[in-house]
Amino acid sequence: DARVTQTPRHKVTEMGQEVTMRCQPILGHNTVFWYRQTMMQGLELLAYFRNRAPLDDSGMPKDRFSAEMPDATLATLKIQPSEPRDSAVYFCASGLIYTEAFFGQGTRLTVV
Amino acid sequence: AQSVTQPDIHITVSEGASLELRCNYSYGATPYLFWYVQSPGQGLQLLLKYFSGDTLVQGIKGFEAEFKRSQSSFNLRKPSVHWSDAAEYFCAVVKGDDKIIFGKGTRLHILP
């Protein structure tokens, strides 16, 4: 059963520390999305990639967030330095062009 | 500008009653539309999708949705809800550049 895998599932870190979240998209999918979910803002699109190239990262705070796809099986989202307002659930999703996205279980990040 | 509006933040229905969750979108061309469901602590699962053709689409778990271009709506329906349907429901639309944008969600509560 193909699925999007995200690690870690939970992360608690201190303010100022670097946080790296990882995502393994479904094999064969050429589009990867990163979303952030909070009570106040709902699901916000942070960035997305097509064939490993970033298409749009306008939803990300550029000074502290970065997203990459080192290869087709791995997408990463880094926050450096982390702040309490970054506490949220971060979702990775993958899909093909103009089709639905398949979501991972999310990484719940708490910055204290 | 692209947007998805779910006007109801919370909806409460009795078990066995019918359900309709509203979704309105703003988009110039024929949209690609989705409904997703999220159970607590889980990722999002696709319920159904509309790309073209028949405006009444059937999904999983007994859900259906109707695309109405004249009203810019894509409302989700179920004739008889079950306690297990309690969750948060998200409407989403694909923009021309293949971004998937989500509404704020509607939380469904089921009364026994």
Side-chain angles (χ1 to χ4, degrees), chain A residues 2-104:
Chain A
R3 61 182 64 188
V4 176
T5 303
Q6 289 186 249
T7 56
R9 289 293 312 278
H10 302 272
K11 176 72 175 179
V12 180
T13 191
E14 291 185 346
M15 181 173 61
Q17 296 298 304
E18 178 178 300
V19 174
T20 298
M21 290 168 271
R22 294 177 173 80
C23 168
Q24 181 177 3
I26 292 173
L27 187 65
H29 283 181
N30 63 357
T31 306
V32 173
F33 303 89
W34 282 106
Y35 290 90
R36 176 171 62 185
Q37 186 177 37
T38 60
M39 290 290 291
M40 293 300 296
Q41 300 299 327
L43 275 163
E44 301 174 276
L45 178 63
L46 298 176
Y48 75 112
F49 294 77
R50 171 76 37 75
N51 297 322
R52 295 176 54 203
L55 286 190
D56 189 339
D57 61 1
S58 60
M60 271 190 338
K62 296 294 190 302
D63 56 337
R64 298 184 300 108
F65 283 60
S66 62
E68 296 179 343
M69 280 200 73
D71 61 62
T73 64
L74 177 64
T76 62
L77 180 66
K78 291 185 181 180
I79 308 174
Q80 170 62 24
S82 58
E83 297 180 2
R85 58 179 168 152
D86 301 329
S87 298
V89 181
Y90 291 81
F91 285 104
C92 175
S94 71
L96 299 169
I97 298 175
Y98 291 114
T99 67
E100 66 269 31
F102 294 81
F103 279 75

Side-chain angles (χ1 to χ4, degrees), chain A residues 9 31 33 35 37 40-43 45 48 50 56 58 91 96-105, chain B residues 32 34 36 38 41-44 46 49 51 88 90 94-104 107:
Chain A
R9 289 293 312 278
T31 306
F33 303 89
Y35 290 90
Q37 186 177 37
M40 293 300 296
Q41 300 299 327
L43 275 163
L45 178 63
Y48 75 112
R50 171 76 37 75
D56 189 339
S58 60
F91 285 104
L96 299 169
I97 298 175
Y98 291 114
T99 67
E100 66 269 31
F102 294 81
F103 279 75
Q105 297 281 67
Chain B
Y32 294 171
F34 308 102
Y36 282 82
Q38 184 182 31
Q42 301 297 313
L44 279 72
L46 181 72
K49 59 188 176 184
F51 287 168
E88 190 153 20
F90 293 91
V94 179
K95 285 186 64 167
D97 54 0
D98 202 23
K99 290 182 189 180
I100 301 179
I101 304 299
F102 287 83
K104 296 290 189 183
R107 186 168 295 277

Side-chain angles (χ1 to χ4, degrees), chain B residues 14-111:
Chain B
S14 297
E15 191 169 17
S18 63
L19 170 71
E20 182 168 30
L21 302 182
R22 296 182 291 165
C23 173
N24 292 97
Y25 65 90
S26 61
Y27 189 57
T30 300
Y32 294 171
L33 295 157
F34 308 102
W35 274 99
Y36 282 82
V37 61
Q38 184 182 31
S39 298
Q42 301 297 313
L44 279 72
Q45 180 185 20
L46 181 72
L47 283 176
L48 48 78
K49 59 188 176 184
Y50 172 77
F51 287 168
S52 65
D54 193 345
T55 56
L56 184 64
V57 294
Q58 302 297 319
I60 62 171
K61 305 185 181 187
F63 285 91
E64 66 178 26
E66 186 171 12
F67 170 63
K68 292 185 177 179
R69 183 188 303 277
S70 62
Q71 299 177 19
S72 297
S73 69
F74 188 57
N75 294 348
L76 182 71
R77 301 194 296 244
K78 187 170 185 177
S80 176
V81 298
H82 186 262
W83 64 266
S84 60
D85 293 325
E88 190 153 20
Y89 292 79
F90 293 91
C91 183
V93 63
V94 179
K95 285 186 64 167
D97 54 0
D98 202 23
K99 290 182 189 180
I100 301 179
I101 304 299
F102 287 83
K104 296 290 189 183
T106 298
R107 186 168 295 277
L108 175 63
H109 305 271
I110 308 293
L111 294 175

